Amino acid sequence: MEKLGLAQKFIDLYVKQYMNKIKVNVVQNCKEIAGFPDYFVYRDGRIRSDKRRESRFLKPGKDKDGYHYVILYSDGKKTFKRVHRLVAEAFIPNPDNKPCVDHKDRDRTNNAVENLAWVTSAENDQNRDARGYHFDKRRGKWVVRIKVNGEEFSSCVDTEEEARAARLAAKREKHKYWAENIEIIKNA
């Protein structure tokens, strides 16, 4: 009789834990990662593992390009996955089958679903060029570009922060140049 009571308590505990997991998934709006049972992706870019006794959120690493990634295990094999792709695949429809995921705010660590969009390679390149700087894998440097009077100037720097600052400074100078020339034309 004692064994049945203990078994029933174990079953009740298991059902309670399982129901809590389902409730958490619905409340937090997360989805299981395709091909990786026991891993869940959240709309804000967090990744949860239920492989162990207790659920835990994985701490993402940062790859050489500045993107967050996690290591997932399935059938004894480990796989590196970029977090922004996991979020996009789980929450953003891709009816045109576009191959790239774009960070709208250009922050490669902001993996919230609201900040991501499916794009073509050309659209991704266009977005990259629109901000005036990008990372060149071959050189291992950030390249800053600006056009003045149809002539293009470029420079290489080590960090994204330097690239952003250089681009903003160049942009200010460009607009200052145009503002001065407009004044000259108005006064003529």
Side-chain angles (χ1 to χ4, degrees):
M1 197 69 171
E2 182 68 31
K3 288 182 181 179
L4 283 178
L6 188 60
Q8 186 61 47
K9 284 181 183 177
F10 178 78
I11 291 170
D12 290 344
L13 180 64
Y14 180 79
V15 168
K16 183 178 176 184
Q17 286 177 342
Y18 181 75
M19 293 308 288
N20 282 340
K21 279 185 187 178
I22 290 173
K23 193 161 99 179
V24 166
N25 291 348
V26 171
V27 170
Q28 296 295 333
N29 206 2
C30 70
K31 293 184 179 180
E32 187 174 69
I33 297 173
F36 296 91
D38 300 324
Y39 290 99
F40 296 85
V41 60
Y42 286 73
R43 293 180 62 84
D44 63 3
R46 292 178 298 153
I47 308 294
R48 188 183 82 216
S49 169
D50 288 350
K51 286 191 84 65
R52 296 184 181 173
R53 213 173 183 172
E54 292 182 19
S55 295
R56 69 182 182 97
F57 286 100
L58 301 181
K59 183 179 178 188
K62 206 182 240 188
D63 68 14
K64 62 182 174 37
D65 297 326
Y67 293 101
H68 278 164
Y69 73 89
V70 290
I71 301 171
L72 306 178
Y73 293 88
S74 180
D75 298 328
K77 297 177 188 173
K78 80 177 181 180
T79 306
F80 291 81
K81 292 282 191 179
R82 285 183 167 173
V83 174
H84 67 284
R85 286 203 66 88
L86 293 173
V87 173
E89 289 168 356
F91 296 105
I92 304 172
N94 189 8
D96 298 330
N97 209 21
K98 294 183 176 183
C100 301
V101 179
D102 183 41
H103 288 86
K104 294 175 185 176
D105 70 355
R106 304 283 157 250
D107 179 359
R108 293 177 176 184
T109 62
N110 180 359
N111 296 308
V113 71
E114 298 80 16
N115 186 48
L116 303 174
W118 288 104
V119 294
T120 64
S121 296
E123 289 168 331
N124 210 21
D125 289 343
Q126 191 176 30
N127 292 343
R128 178 192 70 192
D129 292 342
R131 70 179 170 167
Y133 60 93
H134 69 278
F135 187 77
D136 185 337
K137 290 182 186 178
R138 189 175 51 81
R139 293 181 184 143
K141 301 251 183 199
W142 287 88
V143 178
V144 183
R145 290 188 181 156
I146 190 163
K147 279 186 181 179
V148 178
N149 295 335
E151 193 176 348
E152 188 173 297
F153 299 94
S154 66
S155 178
C156 294
V157 293
D158 293 323
T159 67
E160 185 175 7
E161 291 77 24
E162 289 174 326
R164 187 179 298 118
R167 172 68 176 156
L168 289 174
K171 203 172 181 180
R172 277 194 294 274
E173 281 301 311
K174 178 182 177 182
H175 290 296
K176 181 178 164 185
Y177 168 81
W178 285 111
E180 289 169 358
N181 284 329
I182 290 169
E183 285 300 314
I184 292 168
I185 293 167
K186 280 182 182 176
N187 294 334

